[in-house]
């Protein structure tokens, strides 16, 4: 409540979607953003546009960033994301696509991972995943099926 005019104020919350993409071979598609260390890979995310459903936002974002058509989505969970005053809604998307291509504007590289290849790349330090506190990490863990391995200590900043 405003102490001067005594009106109740409701802060704005902007929804954003974040999505782990899995193909028919049960491989996980991750991308590395242009702004990050090239070793950092994560799930795909973006803001929901006015008049757009969460599902439509997922389809659009994955198509724009990775060139992959999403066939279906399932809700997994959410995370408050305070910068800028957002709510991150996490999904698992399924695709029959086998080819993926980074847009090279936001995403520099996209890669399909098996559980073994993700494990090996994380342990070797070739791939750095989002921090454990991030919903993206939870989505990757959901697909992986157990706790993700730790990689070597790095000075890589969080995204």
């Amino acid at each position: 409540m405003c102490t001067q005019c005594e009106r109740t104020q409701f802060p704005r919350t902007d929804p954003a979607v974040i999505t782990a993409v899995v193909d028919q071979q049960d491989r996980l598609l991750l991308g590395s953003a242009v702004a990050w260390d090239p070793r950092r890979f994560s799930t795909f995310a973006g803001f929901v546009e006015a008049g757009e459903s969460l599902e439509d936002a997922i389809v659009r974002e994955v198509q724009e960033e990775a060139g992959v058509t999403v066939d279906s989505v399932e809700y997994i969970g959410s995370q408050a994301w305070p910068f800028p005053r957002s709510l991150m809604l996490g999904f698992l998307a399924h695709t029959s696509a086998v080819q993926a291509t980074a847009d090279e504007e936001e995403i520099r590289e996209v890669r399909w991972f098996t559980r073994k290849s993700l494990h090996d790349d994380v342990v070797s330090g070739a791939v750095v995943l989002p921090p454990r506190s991030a919903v993206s990490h939870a989505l990757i863990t959901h697909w992986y099926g157990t706790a993700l391995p730790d990689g070597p200590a790095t000075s890589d900043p969080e995204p």
Side-chain angles (χ1 to χ4, degrees):
M1 175 161 313
C2 177
T3 57
Q4 299 210 348
C5 71
E6 297 186 5
R7 282 188 60 200
T8 300
Q9 302 290 321
F10 297 96
R12 186 173 130 183
T13 300
D14 295 327
V17 292
I18 188 158
T19 309
V21 179
V22 177
D23 72 0
Q24 292 178 330
Q25 297 172 46
D26 200 26
R27 297 180 302 169
L28 177 68
L29 182 65
L30 298 176
S32 179
V34 171
W36 299 341
D37 177 312
R39 297 171 301 144
R40 180 171 299 281
F41 280 79
S42 188
T43 54
F44 300 92
F47 285 102
V48 178
E49 295 180 359
E52 188 175 47
S53 72
L54 300 175
E55 295 83 359
D56 288 344
I58 291 164
V59 170
R60 177 182 51 75
E61 285 292 336
V62 172
Q63 181 64 49
E64 287 174 2
E65 294 180 355
V68 169
T69 300
V70 168
D71 299 328
S72 64
V73 299
E74 63 182 281
Y75 175 75
I76 302 297
S78 64
Q79 174 183 18
W81 191 41
F83 305 104
R85 69 191 180 279
S86 299
L87 176 63
M88 186 72 77
L89 301 147
F91 292 83
L92 182 65
H94 301 274
T95 184
S96 55
V98 293
Q99 297 289 349
T101 306
D103 70 0
E104 298 181 5
E105 289 180 29
E106 288 183 65
I107 306 296
R108 88 163 45 83
E109 181 183 1
V110 293
R111 285 178 47 195
W112 290 105
F113 292 90
T114 64
R115 285 170 183 80
K116 180 174 179 0
S117 67
L118 184 65
H119 175 274
D120 293 349
D121 286 346
V122 168
V123 168
S124 74
V127 167
V128 176
L129 296 176
R132 292 188 189 281
S133 61
V135 69
S136 180
H137 192 94
L139 292 172
I140 296 167
T141 301
H142 177 81
W143 165 81
Y144 193 72
T146 188
L148 290 159
D150 290 324
T154 94
S155 60
D156 186 43
E158 299 212 356

